[in-house]
């Protein structure tokens, strides 16, 4: 959750602001962290956030991200 320097009555507005988010992960091999990153990224994108994922090595889970990366269309 992003915080901002606003009066308490304005906090609701700040919490729903669209964010640009960058996740970094070593690879998309099968694993719990990788799967959770995909699920989290998909849900954040559904909320109209701009989500980017940086990685060093591809893997079998990369296809899952590629298949679901166009939530804004």
């Amino acid at each position: 959750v992003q915080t901002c320097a606003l009066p308490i009555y304005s906090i609701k507005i700040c919490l729903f602001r669209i964010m640009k988010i960058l996740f970094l992960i070593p690879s998309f091999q099968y694993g719990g962290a990788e799967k959770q990153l995909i699920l989290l990224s998909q849900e954040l994108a559904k909320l109209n956030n701009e989500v980017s994922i940086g990685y060093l090595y591809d893997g079998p889970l990369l296809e899952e991200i590629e298949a679901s990366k166009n939530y804004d269309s």
Side-chain angles (χ1 to χ4, degrees):
V1 174
Q2 183 176 3
T3 60
C4 53
L6 293 175
I8 291 178
Y9 59 85
S10 298
I11 296 279
K12 284 184 181 180
I13 296 169
C14 181
L15 292 177
F16 295 107
R17 187 170 51 174
I18 295 174
M19 297 181 286
K20 293 182 178 182
I21 303 165
L22 171 63
F23 291 110
L24 300 173
I25 193 161
S27 71
F28 277 107
Q29 297 298 322
Y30 288 115
E34 292 83 355
K35 184 63 177 173
Q36 290 299 312
L37 175 63
I38 291 169
L39 294 172
L40 178 62
S41 298
Q42 290 171 340
E43 293 302 315
L44 288 170
K46 286 180 187 176
L47 295 173
N48 294 322
N49 293 299
E50 185 179 318
V51 180
S52 301
I53 301 175
Y55 61 94
L56 297 176
Y57 307 103
D58 59 0
L61 292 177
L62 185 60
E63 293 174 9
E64 190 173 334
I65 267 291
E66 291 292 329
S68 65
K69 71 177 182 178
N70 293 320
Y71 277 107
D72 59 347
S73 55

